[in-house]
Structure formats: structure tokens, C-alpha cells
Amino acid sequence: MKIGNLDLGHKPLLLAPMEDVTDSPFRTICRRKGANIVYTEFISSEAIIRDSDQAMHKMDFSEKERPFGVQIFGGREEAMDGAARIAESNNPDVVDINFGCPVYKIVKKGAGSACLKDMGLMERMAGSVVDAVENKPVTVKTRLGWDYRTIKIQEAALMLQDLGVKALTVHARTRNQKYKGDAQWQWLKKLKNTPGLEIPVIGNGDVTTPQDAKRMFDETGVDGVMIGRGAIGNPWIFERAHHYIETGELLPEPTVDDRIELCADQLRRSVDHHGERYGVIIMKKHYGQYLKGVRNSRQLRAAIMEEKEMQPILDLLFQFKDQKMYAEAS
Ligand SMILES: Cc1cc2nc3c(=O)[nH]c(=O)nc-3n(C[C@H](O)[C@H](O)[C@H](O)COP(=O)(O)O)c2cc1C
């Protein structure tokens, strides 16, 4: 699959943008574990043009993450134009536009999934970004539509292709579904079969196992599969899904020791990247998933959540691992 000139190989697996989750440390780990491209969380175009420290920090990345995309959102053409130029000057591989965020406070400003209600708005926003970005491919991530009655994803895809958008990711839910109900993969197949649609379509929604990833490719014909929640605390999903798609063989799940070591590795990177205070806070989104299903981990999780510094958390994690507390009768 190619996004413009960027070749992501056959049946690529993409790490989904996720607010407060897909920071540079997590993206680096996911790339190492086989994600073919990774994205920043969505970054406000208004914050970017204001030169907000927080927004600029969200755009920081290391060379090890490449290929890497910056995702921006907004409801004003001038802000999207300016933010897209600044994002490009930061030298990512892709600039991605968020037309999918369902959150009310974003939508009411005409940003995120508001564009699903107003194709003219989508056209103007995407057009301003495509015009502003000179040398990098522009991509879009969106949902099926605003609600079931108004799904216009095929029309939207053709319009975006005409504007010069180089790939389209679709979370196969409507805005009104938010995260509820199953993702409607049948729409991905319809989209892939749209006459005249040539840009790659990346499917997204409810891929949490290697088998799901293969099934999404097989059932819908999408060019790439994007994984969000299924990668949190589980970056192995990328290498395990690649292996399963290539060979039909399911690699074993990571051991508890593997999980604790990778969790500790991410914590160290997180503190290195964000500083001790925020680095420790942001990791709180990840422990539950790294330790999911691990026997006797409830107390460990509770103890970790109380800590404000890295070293006591590392001590707790390694004590649990080295003393094999997960093997004790509960
Ligand atoms: C915590 C969280 C934060 C998210 N933040 C973003 C975001 O910043 N930009 C975006 O396009 N989608 C965002 N999403 C949506 C995901 O990228 C993805 O489309 C959705 O979770 C469905 O994929 P999944 O079933 O593989 O998780 C977020 C989802 C979650 C769970």
C-alpha cells in the first residue's frame, strides 16, 4: 500500500491516533513491534497556530518512529491552513486530518465529525490542508457518517480523492454510535468497491486480535488495517497479526514477564520524554491493559496508581515479576 510515494508494504497495520495514549514513547514501541506507521493524537489547529507548548510537544517525535503522521483537527480554514504548514515544517511523513472525533465540544466548533454533517465544510477544510501542505501526503481519518440515515462515506471518499487526499481511514461507526455497538465492516467493503475510488482505504474499528486483522483484510478488501484500543498494553498485536496474516500460524501471547518488562520500558521512555510528573501520570492509561488478566495484579495496579515517581513503580513491577507473584495462589 502506498500513501503518495510512501510505501508501507503489503497489508500494513497502522497504529491509530489516540488522545493521551499515542505519545512518542508508545509510538516508538509500536513501531518496534511491527506497526507500519504511527500517528500522533489529534492536535488542535488553533493551539498549533498559537504556538502552544503543549501542542508543539505533541508533535515531537524521534527518527525511530518513522514513518510517522501528525494528525490535526479544527473548524476554521485559516487555522487548518496555518497548522498544516507548521505541521509540515516539523517534517512528519504524513499530515492527517481528523474528521471523526465525536466529542460534543469539538463538534460544536465545526471540527472532528461535524464535517460528516456538512460535506461543504469537509471539502473546505480538506482543501485548505491539501493546498497548504507542499511536499507530504495529506490523509483523512473519518467515520461512516453522522448517523445511519445519512451515511455518505462513498461520496466523501471520491470528493477527498479529487481534492488530492492520498489515503482515507474509516472508523466503521457513525458519529452517533460513538464507541457503542459493533463496527460496521460491511461499509468498508462497499467503500472499497466504489467505482472510481483509487486511493487506499484503511479499515478501522474493533480489531483486537491477529485473527480480527486478517478477517478485516479478507472480508472487506481494505488496503490497510488500523488498530487502536487493541494495541494499548498490547503492542505485540502488530507482530503477531503480521505473522498470522503471512503464515496462518498464531504466535503465543506474550508472557507476564514480557508484559512487565515492556511496561517498565515504556514507563522509562515516558519519563524521559515528558519529565517525571507527567510521564508517570500518562502511563496510568496503560497499566490496566499491560496487566489485564494477570493473576494477583489487582493490588499491584492499585499500589502503582498511588505513586508519583518512577522508581517506586519500577520496584513494584519488578518485585511482582521477580518473585513471580502472579504464579501464587490467589
Ligand atoms: C482513548 C482514545 C483516544 C482517541 N483519540 C483519537 C484521536 O486523537 N484521533 C482520532 O482520529 N481518533 C481517536 N480515537 C479513535 C481511534 O483512533 C479509533 O478510530 C477507534 O478507537 C476505533 O478503533 P479501535 O476499535 O481499534 O480502537 C481515540 C480512541 C480512543 C479509545
Side-chain angles (χ1 to χ4, degrees):
M1 181 185 107
K2 276 178 132 185
I3 301 180
N5 292 327
L6 179 66
D7 193 346
L8 297 182
H10 187 53
K11 300 203 168 166
L13 300 169
L14 301 85
L15 173 66
M18 286 183 284
E19 185 179 20
D20 289 340
V21 175
T22 55
D23 58 357
S24 174
F26 186 59
R27 296 192 305 257
T28 305
I29 288 174
C30 288
R31 277 286 292 132
R32 205 175 71 208
K33 292 284 177 202
N36 297 87
I37 184 169
V38 294
Y39 292 86
T40 63
E41 65 184 272
F42 68 165
I43 311 177
S44 155
S45 53
E46 304 287 348
I48 294 173
I49 60 171
R50 263 202 326 269
D51 197 25
S52 127
D53 286 348
Q54 220 182 358
M56 295 304 154
H57 182 58
K58 285 178 187 173
M59 270 197 278
D60 287 346
F61 69 100
S62 74
E63 287 298 315
K64 288 186 195 144
E65 292 172 46
R66 287 196 190 280
F68 137 93
V70 172
Q71 190 188 63
I72 60 173
F73 74 95
R76 262 190 341 113
E77 271 171 74
E78 306 74 45
M80 289 296 270
D81 173 289
R85 287 175 202 277
I86 296 170
E88 184 181 18
S89 69
N90 206 39
N91 200 19
D93 297 284
V94 167
V95 177
D96 188 66
I97 313 171
N98 177 307
F99 286 146
C101 178
V103 174
Y104 178 68
K105 73 170 192 214
I106 305 281
V107 171
K108 83 172 182 211
K109 292 189 179 146
S113 60
C115 291
L116 293 167
K117 251 190 175 169
D118 181 346
M119 286 291 147
L121 180 65
M122 184 184 277
E123 189 167 5
R124 291 196 301 281
M125 292 302 150
S128 65
V129 175
V130 171
D131 290 347
V133 175
E134 284 174 7
N135 294 310
K136 304 286 173 185
V138 173
T139 58
V140 162
K141 178 167 178 285
T142 187
R143 290 182 174 233
L144 295 175
W146 184 261
D147 60 25
Y148 282 127
R149 284 164 301 139
T150 57
I151 293 181
K152 293 200 192 105
I153 190 64
Q154 290 169 291
E155 244 176 276
L158 290 170
M159 178 266 283
L160 293 168
Q161 173 176 273
D162 282 352
L163 284 176
V165 166
K166 298 293 187 215
L168 177 65
T169 302
V170 179
H171 175 189
R173 285 189 174 83
T174 63
R175 185 272 171 183
N176 278 359
Q177 260 188 296
K178 303 213 170 109
Y179 289 89
K180 289 189 232 108
D182 293 335
Q184 311 288 307
W185 291 8
Q186 71 275 19
W187 276 100
L188 298 174
K189 185 172 178 183
K190 267 193 203 167
L191 182 58
K192 265 307 291 176
N193 291 332
T194 306
L197 188 69
E198 281 161 18
I199 55 171
V201 173
I202 297 150
N204 170 239
D206 295 350
V207 172
T208 60
T209 64
Q211 296 95 315
D212 290 340
K214 179 169 187 324
R215 205 161 51 77
M216 186 182 267
F217 277 118
D218 292 348
E219 287 179 10
T220 70
V222 288
D223 304 281
V225 166
M226 179 178 272
I227 304 177
R229 291 164 295 179
I232 304 177
N234 183 26
W236 295 270
I237 192 166
F238 296 104
E239 60 189 21
R240 294 183 70 237
H242 275 306
H243 190 81
Y244 185 70
I245 289 163
E246 277 156 31
T247 66
E249 180 203 11
L250 201 53
L251 292 173
E253 300 264 3
T255 64
V256 177
D257 286 9
D258 293 337
R259 294 205 223 174
I260 289 181
E261 271 162 27
L262 195 57
C263 180
D265 176 24
Q266 193 180 331
L267 172 61
R268 288 193 197 95
R269 288 171 188 271
S270 183
V271 166
D272 202 38
H273 184 72
H274 299 291
E276 181 117 21
R277 200 180 80 82
Y278 190 59
V280 165
I281 291 173
I282 202 159
M283 276 302 290
K284 291 189 176 177
K285 301 239 173 198
H286 296 265
Y287 299 122
Q289 293 302 316
Y290 271 118
L291 296 170
K292 191 173 167 191
V294 174
R295 191 146 38 120
N296 301 330
S297 65
R298 194 169 357 160
Q299 268 178 310
L300 170 66
R301 283 207 297 264
I304 286 174
M305 291 298 181
E306 296 291 309
E307 297 296 342
K308 293 189 169 48
E309 287 172 10
M310 176 177 75
Q311 194 53 49
I313 300 176
L314 291 175
D315 293 344
L316 284 163
L317 286 169
F318 285 113
Q319 181 190 34
F320 188 82
K321 170 180 168 274
D322 295 340
Q323 296 182 9
K324 300 216 176 307
M325 289 160 80
Y326 53 83
E328 290 167 12
S330 36

